[in-house]
Amino acid sequence: MSKDWDKSRLPSRHVTEGPARAPHRSYYYAMGLSTKDIKKPFVGVASCWNEAAPCNTALMRQAHAVSEGVKAADGTPREFCTITVTDGIAMGHEGMRSSLVSRDWIADTVELTIRGHSYDALVGVAGCDKSLPGMMMAMLRLNVPSVFLYGGSILPGEFEGKDVTVLDVFEAVGAHAAGSNDMTEAKLTALEKIACPGDGACGGQFTANTMACVSEAIGLALPLSSALPAPYLDRDQYAVASGEAVMNLIANNIRPRDLCTREAFENAAIVVAATGGSTNAALHLPAMAHECGVKFELKDVAEIFAKTPYIADLKPGGNYVAKDFGEAGGVPMLMKTLHEHGFINADCMTVSGKTWREILEDVTWDPDQKVIYPADKPLSPTGGVVGLWGSLAPNGAIVKVAGMSNLKFTGPARVFDGEQACFEAVEKREYKEGDVLVIRYEGPKGGPGMREMLSTTAALYGQGMGDKVALITDGRFSGATRGFCIGHVGPEAAEGGPIGLIEDGDMITIDADNGTIDVRLTPAEMQERQRNWKPRETAYGSGTLAKFAKLVGPAHLGAVTHEGFAGERHVYADI
């Protein structure tokens, strides 16, 4: 039913109200809007649709469904698309330098579109790793009523009677390169053709599904909206409901910063740890917090990780994929057992209009499902992701330990300046069991772009060496990475951090039980090397990567590119 909306405090009044806005209204009439449509709140429906990868191909369909929900609840939707850089395609070559950069550019482009057209609210539909946090960063920055919708995961492929994901293909490349009789070229070709059977983001608890869980846990997405795989048309009902929900938020002036409190960020980190999620969450949560004035740096995230049980048996460390997690009850089922055992902040509000306490009253624990363990009977007593500090990482580092049995490692450094050099050495088996492979000058500034190292880590696993060497980098790892792989080492090499000073043969000790990472050098030896260190030029002196390198901050603060809440002089929602 249509209602009379008071636009006196809504941003769209600047383009729809009064005689001076007749030229602006003429554009809306040109697009088929009625006078009634123009008088309603304008909702930006932002989609990361593209044909770069299956992560994004189902997003347009769902954006259209969101618009139907907005219309049904008496709003006027305005659809637009933004960019996505998809990691699976960008992986293992220069394209990966664009990945992390795209997160902030997504936030920027959504902000510019909302600001430029004076939209009153935002529903963001995203499917791939960086597009999820990028979209949520825009919501927190703009602070207009907002709802996030994940586009859904891909269904698993089936190969030789087992569920497979794209990770299996990456690891098969390593096995094939090692001359494995079990991975011939013909078998690799057969695997690549069926590993990804259709629309949707990578199916393990990699970065996309991790951040989808975050969107629910932090309150920006409707509960269970991340559960259904992308190809399932039933998930369009969540899209319609998201459009209806944002209209309720407008009516009640409920904004993202009302929902995303410090306690909500804690819930998000708890869910990351409990699911053995991607280490990239330790980059994205601080970046999101940076937008809205919540102090939540790597140290804060790691403290949450350290006291959270690991309870979801998900790939890459476990046995199940996102489809299985959804069928087991998804985030609400996970939150149910975490709440019953005192781990979450249940009074946090969500875009559903209900608190988690109210939502979980309607959730019944399912003892027959196999994916989510009770919080008092976890897979391991502490989270699937661990923060590390020490002489090699004064600003911290991060490692996913889900599924690992040995959490300590000591070995000599084998140093590589850039991922390509390390990947070539791995391909040729020019390393030894017990080595600590060091990939540096891949940080936010030094890369530039802080590339992921999945091609290298997957190759190691494919060679059967995934648990026999360690790998550390000032770059990042894919959420699909498994093994003793430490990322986000800071300060990065490009800024003269210790990782830029170590040499072949230096002994490195990693202790994920105690959260430490050290190199066996005296302070005097470090100082001498620091005196001889010289900064390096990257291959990027112009363009967006050069701009990113000049603007970007350190990884432990989220690798952000602007002042955020600290520099804020006005909030868009109040213009």
Side-chain angles (χ1 to χ4, degrees):
M1 180 182 291
S2 183
K3 61 181 287 188
D4 292 328
W5 287 93
D6 177 10
K7 282 201 170 186
S8 63
R9 299 187 68 176
L10 294 182
S12 66
R13 73 186 186 277
H14 295 295
V15 296
T16 63
E17 303 300 296
R21 298 310 182 221
H24 306 66
R25 290 192 296 272
S26 72
Y27 283 1
Y28 293 120
Y29 287 122
M31 291 183 283
L33 296 190
S34 69
T35 301
K36 285 185 177 179
D37 293 332
I38 295 170
K39 290 185 177 294
K40 297 174 182 179
F42 281 15
V43 177
V45 180
S47 163
C48 293
W49 175 88
N50 64 27
E51 292 183 331
C55 328
N56 312 310
T57 46
L59 301 183
M60 188 71 78
R61 182 197 89 217
Q62 295 177 64
H64 292 338
V66 169
S67 292
E68 292 306 311
V70 171
K71 292 175 185 176
D74 203 40
T76 296
R78 300 284 83 196
E79 291 187 27
F80 64 95
C81 289
T82 184
I83 65 164
T84 307
V85 173
T86 298
D87 290 5
I89 298 290
M91 194 71 68
H93 57 92
E94 288 292 296
M96 180 47 72
R97 300 197 192 284
S98 300
S99 170
L100 180 61
V101 179
S102 75
R103 181 196 69 182
D104 288 46
W105 273 220
I106 288 165
D108 291 350
T109 55
V110 172
E111 177 194 2
L112 291 173
T113 302
I114 297 289
R115 281 187 181 275
H117 306 106
S118 295
Y119 294 156
D120 301 313
L122 172 61
V123 179
V125 189
C128 197
D129 296 4
K130 308 308 172 295
S131 57
L132 281 81
M135 195 69 75
M136 289 187 277
M137 286 164 66
M139 293 173 176
L140 291 163
R141 184 185 304 176
L142 294 161
N143 204 33
V144 289
S146 300
V147 177
F148 179 84
L149 178 67
Y150 179 43
S153 68
I154 200 169
L155 292 169
E158 185 176 329
F159 189 70
E160 297 183 339
K162 295 180 180 179
D163 283 349
V164 292
T165 71
V166 71
L167 173 60
D168 295 278
V169 187
F170 275 101
E171 293 184 355
V173 169
H176 175 260
S180 169
N181 293 328
D182 291 331
M183 189 50 64
T184 63
E185 186 166 354
K187 192 170 180 179
L188 178 61
T189 300
L191 174 61
E192 74 180 59
K193 289 181 178 178
I194 55 85
C196 300
D199 293 333
C202 298
Q205 193 63 349
F206 312 153
T207 304
N209 281 310
T210 297
M211 295 310 295
C213 292
V214 162
S215 73
E216 287 190 43
I218 209 167
L220 288 174
L222 292 174
L224 209 60
S225 61
S226 301
L228 291 175
Y232 288 13
L233 297 183
D234 285 356
R235 84 174 338 277
D236 290 7
Q237 296 173 20
Y238 282 103
V240 173
S242 296
E244 294 171 340
V246 82
M247 295 305 299
N248 182 61
L249 297 178
I250 296 171
N252 292 286
N253 194 29
I254 298 173
R255 303 180 179 187
R257 295 181 188 179
D258 299 327
L259 308 176
C260 295
T261 60
R262 165 72 191 216
E263 291 75 20
F265 274 94
E266 290 175 359
N267 283 348
I270 288 164
V271 165
V272 172
T275 59
S278 169
T279 55
N280 284 307
L283 198 67
H284 301 324
L285 287 172
M288 290 167 60
H290 177 75
E291 300 286 356
C292 59
V294 174
K295 182 187 176 296
F296 207 63
E297 302 170 4
L298 175 60
K299 198 83 172 178
D300 303 294
V301 176
E303 286 175 2
I304 303 292
F305 288 170
K307 59 187 181 184
T308 303
Y310 166 45
I311 60 172
D313 188 14
L314 298 171
K315 290 178 181 285
N319 296 299
Y320 296 99
V321 296
K323 173 179 176 288
D324 304 316
F325 181 64
E327 290 173 349
V331 172
M333 187 65 68
L334 183 90
M335 297 281 272
K336 180 72 173 182
T337 186
L338 290 169
H339 174 48
E340 286 179 342
H341 297 284
F343 287 100
I344 68 162
N345 304 293
D347 293 322
C348 290
M349 183 63 71
T350 73
V351 291
S352 70
K354 295 181 179 180
T355 64
W356 271 111
R357 187 181 306 280
E358 293 169 315
I359 293 164
L360 295 176
E361 285 176 358
D362 297 326
V363 176
T364 302
W365 173 255
D366 179 5
D368 296 325
Q369 55 81 28
K370 307 295 185 185
V371 182
I372 305 167
Y373 284 55
D376 62 339
K377 297 177 182 177
L379 288 156
S380 64
T382 57
V385 186
V386 173
L388 307 172
W389 278 262
S391 62
L392 190 50
N395 287 347
I398 197 84
V399 59
K400 179 187 281 195
V401 297
M404 289 173 53
S405 54
N406 178 28
L407 301 184
K408 301 178 191 289
F409 198 101
T410 297
R414 180 79 192 283
V415 182
F416 302 91
D417 291 344
E419 183 194 16
Q420 188 61 33
C422 184
F423 183 71
E424 290 172 1
V426 169
E427 270 199 313
K428 298 172 183 175
R429 298 296 290 261
E430 293 176 351
Y431 65 94
K432 297 176 182 176
E433 182 175 332
D435 280 351
V436 178
L437 308 180
V438 179
I439 303 177
R440 62 189 182 190
Y441 294 100
E442 290 286 7
K445 289 182 183 293
M450 204 179 185
R451 290 194 291 182
E452 291 183 349
M453 310 292 161
L454 178 60
S455 292
T456 302
T457 60
L460 287 167
Y461 247 91
Q463 293 175 2
M465 298 293 285
D467 58 351
K468 296 178 175 62
V469 298
L471 197 157
I472 69 171
T473 180
D474 51 7
R476 299 182 296 122
F477 291 112
S478 165
T481 288
R482 54 179 175 158
F484 223 143
C485 299
I486 294 92
H488 308 191
V489 171
E492 62 174 292
E495 296 193 312
I499 192 172
L501 307 179
I502 57 179
E503 299 172 357
D504 285 346
D506 289 345
M507 293 302 293
I508 294 172
T509 299
I510 307 157
D511 185 343
D513 278 328
N514 294 305
T516 59
I517 178 168
D518 293 291
V519 57
R520 202 173 296 169
L521 293 172
T522 66
E525 288 172 318
M526 277 286 203
Q527 288 171 7
E528 179 63 23
R529 292 187 187 182
Q530 184 75 61
R531 280 192 290 270
N532 295 323
W533 176 83
K534 294 180 180 178
R536 296 178 173 226
E537 274 191 349
T538 75
Y540 297 87
S542 64
T544 194
L545 294 179
K547 188 192 306 183
F548 179 81
K550 288 178 181 177
L551 295 173
V552 71
H556 73 286
L557 301 180
V560 294
T561 54
H562 70 119
E563 292 299 317
F565 182 84
E568 186 175 270
R569 294 186 179 90
H570 83 278
V571 178
Y572 164 76
D574 294 324
I575 61 169

